[in-house]
Amino acid sequence: KIFTVLEKGSKTSAQSRQWFGKKKRDRRELGILQYFYQARNDDTHGLEPVIHITRGTAIFPVKEGEEYTVLEGRQIGLSLIDKDGNRVIPDRHTHCNITPSTVTTRDGTKLHPPISYKGEPIKDISIFGLTRIALDYSEEMIKEAVGLQDS
């Protein structure tokens, strides 16, 4: 969506059109931007999920013969409540893991999640790490666009 808005705004001057042309080239050539562009298309029009979710686990201390109530919901995950209404704290748990999947471009090419950005290895290749890089790029791009408008 950001690219669409900036493209419309770039039509006001030759300098803006030239600047936006470079940004479109970045989107084609920088693996992380291409990945998110294609992932959005694949998520909207494709059949496979663009992220893979591994659910976490929890191990609760329970006493034989005691009754417990299990509560489950989006916000609370899974909770165990004892007969007095107190939440039972897990002895051990693992968090869920969300990882980016390989996406399919419109021409059928498989595009794997990026592992480098601007020639440097990406340290956090989780969906959160990749999203942070893309958001930082977008924020910088918007600042540049505002600077063009002010000049």
Side-chain angles (χ1 to χ4, degrees), residues 4-76:
T4 304
V5 171
L6 291 176
E7 183 174 26
K8 287 179 184 176
S10 73
K11 296 179 180 181
T12 60
S13 73
Q15 181 186 16
S16 294
R17 283 190 297 276
Q18 184 179 11
W19 172 83
F20 187 72
K22 182 185 178 317
K23 296 305 166 187
K24 281 179 70 172
R25 200 167 36 260
D26 282 354
R27 186 172 66 185
R28 281 191 309 272
E29 295 173 0
L30 290 174
I32 194 163
L33 299 181
Q34 184 61 213
Y35 177 79
F36 275 103
Y37 177 69
Q38 297 296 343
R40 183 236 168 250
N41 283 336
D42 197 23
D43 191 42
T44 303
H45 306 293
L47 300 175
E48 299 296 321
V50 296
I51 59 170
H52 178 72
I53 301 173
T54 305
R55 297 203 181 272
T57 59
I59 298 174
F60 294 95
V62 293
K63 296 177 185 153
E64 193 172 333
E66 292 283 324
E67 290 187 24
Y68 298 91
T69 303
V70 176
L71 298 178
E72 185 174 9
R74 272 183 184 243
Q75 298 300 319
I76 61 170

Side-chain angles (χ1 to χ4, degrees), residues 32 113-118 120-126 129-130 133:
I32 194 163
I115 57 171
S116 66
Y117 177 64
K118 294 185 176 181
E120 296 292 322
I122 297 174
K123 292 181 178 131
D124 180 2
I125 58 169
S126 72
L130 297 179
I133 293 169

